[in-house]
């Protein structure tokens, strides 16, 4: 079976990666008994929170007092010099003016207008769950972006039409409308460009805009829905692809975000949207020639982008804590929150409302010169500064979104945290002459010296996101 072969491939990749880690770092534990805290105050503790740790361990009552008020009064996070970070905050709701929260990408005004129009978003929702967008009708956008899995698919690598496997994991979708660049390697400059990438990718939907538009024009449902969402045909539209065929660039990997309702409600969106479409009275529908001409590639991309922009993470106890409910997190989760912000150094990259800086970093997973080599953003820019860098994903609903990393290398969050604790992998050894293409790990990635109990607390906190 293909999945068994894939499992062996991932095991071999993980074994190769582990081989590059100093064994002493992976096995290192504090000198005290397992589960007990160190006597010395960890160096990563923010100065104004040092009193919460003493020789007996962490003083939870002290931490609760420090985190009892608004975030502006919390202990300062551990941030490296030169890092621009943003405090945690609620994710902007869709009801807020879209120009205030959509990324300043090409076409921002158009996206902001579309996401504020319910007929456009509803059309995009129908298309997102419709397998007719793939050449053989085997998969939809939702095949790789399942609402119940935080709009990922639970697989290490994306699997497309005819069971062809891609190079990377399906991209989490929560941060898509807020991101300056999209895909793991940032090759898409806008959400409208990103949503069309999988349609063209031979390892995903294996289709093209002209074929998808022609198929949608032949249906009973879509012509009237496009007309309702966008009005009549655009003057510049060609018979099949429409005016946007030159602006929607082919690209691979998937697009997205998370549900504006709940994830469970989004899971049934395809059926409900199709049912509502079927209720449109035939007698009120315009002439077939008019309705069919309302469909083009540009509008297809706009509808999908609008739906993705409307998606939001499920509300969690973390949101309740941000809203001021101090007892929303238990003691272990609160300790994990504090460690996340201080000793674990996570806030250098995972900050702001979506817990992402929307930047690109090399954490040592490029497998340079080996079978599973992936040089990340460098493959899109050919800029040596981008070697091995990948986009920081949002951590919203992260516990539902495994396996983790761009290559799905880690099936277990605790194992992933242990690797961060060890400082991830080592850089390639120096070469003579120097290798200009050897990726260099980000300076933000360092050994963390977390105890097993602290790793457990950090894991407990991640599960509240």
């Amino acid at each position: 079976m293909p999945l068994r072969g894939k499992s062996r491939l991932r095991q071999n990749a993980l074994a190769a990666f582990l081989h590059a880690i100093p064994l002493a770092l992976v096995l290192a534990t504090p000198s005290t008994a397992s589960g007990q805290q160190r006597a010395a105050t960890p160096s990563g503790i923010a100065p104004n929170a040092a009193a919460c740790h003493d020789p007996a361990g962490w003083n939870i009552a002290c931490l609760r007092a420090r985190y009892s008020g608004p975030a502006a009064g919390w202990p300062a996070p551990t941030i490296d010099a030169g890092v621009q970070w943003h405090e945690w905050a609620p994710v902007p709701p869709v009801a807020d003016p879209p120009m205030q929260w959509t990324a300043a990408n090409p076409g921002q005004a158009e996206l902001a207008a579309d996401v504020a129009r319910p007929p456009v978003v509803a059309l995009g929702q129908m298309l997102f769950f419709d397998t007719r967008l793939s050449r053989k009708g085997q998969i939809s956008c939702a095949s790789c972006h399942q609402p119940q899995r935080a709009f990922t698919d639970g697989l290490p690598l994306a699997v497309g039409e005819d069971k062809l496997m891609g190079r990377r994991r399906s991209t989490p979708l929560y941060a898509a409308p807020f991101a300056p660049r999209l895909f793991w390697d940032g090759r898409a400059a806008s959400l409208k460009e990103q949503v069309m990438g999988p349609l063209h990718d031979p390892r995903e939907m294996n289709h093209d805009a002209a074929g998808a538009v022609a198929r949608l024009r032949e249906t009973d449902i879509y012509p009237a829905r496009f007309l309702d969402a966008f009005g009549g045909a655009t003057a510049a539209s060609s018979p099949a692809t429409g005016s946007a065929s030159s602006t929607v660039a082919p690209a691979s990997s998937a697009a997205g975000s998370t549900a504006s309702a709940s994830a469970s409600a989004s899971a049934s969106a395809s059926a409900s949207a199709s049912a509502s479409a079927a209720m449109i009275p035939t007698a009120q529908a315009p002439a077939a020639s008019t309705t069919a001409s309302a469909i083009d590639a540009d509008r297809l991309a706009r509808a999908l982008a609008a739906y993705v922009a409307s998606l939001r993470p499920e509300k969690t106890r973390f949101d309740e804590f941000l809203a001021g409910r101090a007892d929303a997190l238990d003691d272990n989760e609160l300790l994990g929150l504090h460690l996340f912000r201080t000793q674990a150094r996570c806030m250098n990259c995972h900050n702001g409302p979506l817990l992402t800086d929307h930047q690109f970093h090399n954490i040592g997973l490029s497998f340079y010169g080996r079978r599973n080599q992936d040089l990340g953003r460098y493959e899109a820019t050919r800029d040596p500064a981008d070697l091995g860098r990948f986009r920081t994903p949002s951590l919203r609903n992260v516990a539902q979104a495994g396996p983790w990393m761009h290559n799905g290398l880690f099936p277990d969050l605790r194992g992933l945290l242990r690797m961060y604790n060890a400082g991830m992998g080592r850089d390639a050894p120096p070469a003579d002459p120097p290798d200009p293409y050897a990726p260099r790990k980000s300076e933000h990635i360092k050994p963390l010296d977390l105890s097993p109990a602290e790793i457990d607390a950090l894991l407990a906190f991640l599960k509240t996101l």
Side-chain angles (χ1 to χ4, degrees), residues 3-4 16 29 62 76 118 173 198 216 247 254 268-269 319 338 371 405 422 434:
L3 290 181
R4 292 176 183 170
T29 57
C62 174
L173 302 185
L216 295 176
T247 62
S268 61
D319 293 289
H338 179 67
R371 178 178 179 180
M405 297 302 175

Side-chain angles (χ1 to χ4, degrees), residues 17 48 83 95 105 171 176 179 197 210 227 237 298 300 303 314-315 331 353 404 409 437 443 449 451 453:
F17 178 63
N48 62 346
V83 172
N105 296 343
T171 315
L227 188 66
S237 294
D298 182 68
L300 169 61
E314 289 185 47
K315 294 290 186 180
D331 291 350
W404 293 272
L409 185 63
Y437 297 102
E443 61 184 11
D449 195 27
S451 72

Side-chain angles (χ1 to χ4, degrees), residues 124-134 137 139-142 205 216 219 222 270 274:
Q125 186 179 52
M126 289 178 61
L127 293 164
F128 190 88
F129 290 88
D130 198 329
T131 59
R132 281 175 283 201
L133 293 186
S134 61
I139 63 171
S140 68
C141 301
M205 290 183 167
L216 295 176
T219 65
Y222 281 112
S270 178
S274 299

Side-chain angles (χ1 to χ4, degrees), residues 92 94 190 225 372:
V94 181
S190 69
R225 294 302 293 259
N372 298 298

Side-chain angles (χ1 to χ4, degrees), residues 110 183 188-200 208-210 241-251 296-302 304-305:
E110 179 183 71
F183 291 119
S190 69
L191 186 52
K192 190 167 81 169
E193 181 181 347
Q194 186 193 27
V195 296
M196 294 297 278
L199 187 143
H200 296 95
D208 56 77
T241 62
S243 59
S245 58
S246 62
T247 62
V248 179
D296 64 20
D298 182 68
R299 290 174 171 183
L300 169 61
R302 286 173 61 185
L304 283 169

